[in-house]
Amino acid sequence: MSAPPPRENRTAAGVAVMFLAVTLFTCTDTSAKWLSLSGIPILQVIFARYAGHLAVSLALYLPQEGLQVFRSNAPWRQALRSVVLLAGTSLNFIALQYLPITITTTIFFAAPIVITLLAIPILGEKVGLRRIAAVCTGFLGVLVVIQPWGTVFQPAMWYSLGALLCASSYFIMTRMLAGVETNAVQQIWSSTLATIVVLPFVVQVWIWPDSVAGWFLICAIGAVGAFSHIAVTIAHRWADASILAPMIYSQIFTSSLAGILVFSTWPSVWTLAGGGIIIASGLYIWQRERARARV
């Protein structure tokens, strides 16, 4: 099996590729929401997402790596990472059936904050009082978005919060496997396991798309998802994670644009206000991480 490619100092290109990845994330979420609203079962959407991802990964990596691409150096951790990713995708797609894409995206912005909390017991990282204060401020922003005290709150927001927790756990597991697994192994494992797990259930609810747009999206959603993850990996090889981290917040613009153009929904004042609080706290944590790295 080939060794992971070395890091390169291509910051501008890395930032551009990270923005491309974030845009592809929005395309994946938009496709999932459109397909579910058109009557395609959510299990089928999840299966298409991972089956397409698997097809792209096999086409890219199998000719180079051979069957060694299925061999993991840490199979139990790799399996847990794959399960967490599948759970996060499933919960996110279910939430998208009922919530505007801007709300699910804004809630996801709290991922760096949750990762900071999870890194304390799992990775043994130390977090100071100022970062703890930033984490609490970020959760305040999440509360502003979901408004559990008012009539705006929808039970589907629990799905989005569950997706947030799973996604954060996925990133923690990815960090734990850094330097242990190649990108090829991680892409193959996550897409293969998800495809195998969902397959027995999706055959019972399968519905053929009844439009050209439906056929296109059901075939494209997996490829878009695969290339988004590949783009993230390339971006982190070309630029430091501390530089790339704020780029995820650009998704508030791409998701808002998708909501307006595709679903005719505008972000509410509460969503924008909560998003602003979450972004501010996330940027503070990012700044603290860069300061620590310099020290």
Side-chain angles (χ1 to χ4, degrees), residues 44-58 190-192 194-196 198-199 202 206 218-219 221-223 226:
Q44 185 174 338
V45 178
I46 297 170
F47 177 79
R49 157 70 179 87
Y50 282 104
H53 190 159
L54 175 59
V56 171
S57 298
L58 290 175
S190 60
S191 56
T192 300
T195 302
I196 293 174
V198 178
L199 179 59
V202 74
W206 188 275
I218 206 73
C219 294
I221 187 172

Side-chain angles (χ1 to χ4, degrees), residues 54-274:
L54 175 59
V56 171
S57 298
L58 290 175
L60 289 176
Y61 301 121
L62 198 57
Q64 304 173 10
E65 308 286 347
L67 295 180
Q68 292 291 325
V69 78
F70 291 98
R71 180 172 297 177
S72 170
N73 295 322
W76 289 109
R77 281 181 288 170
Q78 192 64 257
L80 178 60
R81 173 182 175 273
S82 302
V83 169
V84 169
L85 176 60
L86 172 61
T89 301
S90 302
L91 291 171
N92 182 48
F93 283 5
I94 294 172
L96 283 167
Q97 287 183 288
Y98 308 101
L99 300 174
I101 190 173
T102 48
I103 290 182
T104 58
T105 299
T106 304
I107 292 175
F108 182 76
F109 285 165
I113 301 167
V114 179
I115 292 171
T116 300
L117 287 179
L118 293 178
I120 299 173
I122 298 177
L123 300 179
E125 295 184 3
K126 296 181 179 180
V127 179
L129 289 177
R130 282 182 287 185
R131 278 207 290 167
I132 290 293
V135 167
C136 295
T137 303
F139 278 117
L140 175 62
V142 174
L143 292 177
V144 170
V145 174
I146 66 177
Q147 299 179 62
W149 56 80
T151 57
V152 177
F153 179 79
Q154 300 181 42
M157 289 181 179
W158 289 112
Y159 292 120
S160 194
L161 291 172
L164 166 64
L165 181 60
C166 289
S168 302
S169 302
Y170 163 76
F171 288 124
I172 289 289
M173 293 297 300
T174 301
R175 187 179 300 180
M176 292 175 64
L177 289 168
V180 178
E181 300 278 40
T182 64
N183 179 44
V185 171
Q186 299 202 47
Q187 298 293 336
I188 292 291
W189 266 69
S190 60
S191 56
T192 300
L193 188 143
T195 302
I196 293 174
V197 168
V198 178
L199 179 59
F201 303 97
V202 74
V203 294
Q204 304 175 37
V205 298
W206 188 275
I207 295 177
W208 296 107
D210 57 2
S211 66
V212 175
W215 275 104
F216 174 78
L217 291 179
I218 206 73
C219 294
I221 187 172
V224 173
F227 285 119
S228 65
H229 283 270
I230 293 172
V232 168
T233 303
I234 294 174
H236 281 81
R237 185 162 60 86
W238 287 352
D240 292 339
S242 59
I243 296 175
L244 298 175
M247 289 304 299
I248 193 67
Y249 296 127
S250 65
Q251 195 173 3
I252 189 63
F253 302 106
T254 56
S255 64
S256 297
L257 184 62
I260 295 169
L261 296 179
V262 181
F263 306 110
S264 300
T265 57
W266 291 76
S268 68
V269 174
W270 291 106
T271 301
L272 295 176

Side-chain angles (χ1 to χ4, degrees), residues 278-293:
I278 296 171
I279 290 173
S281 60
L283 288 176
Y284 177 79
I285 293 175
W286 164 73
Q287 188 275 332
R288 291 290 300 168
E289 289 292 335
R290 293 199 69 191
R292 288 179 59 193

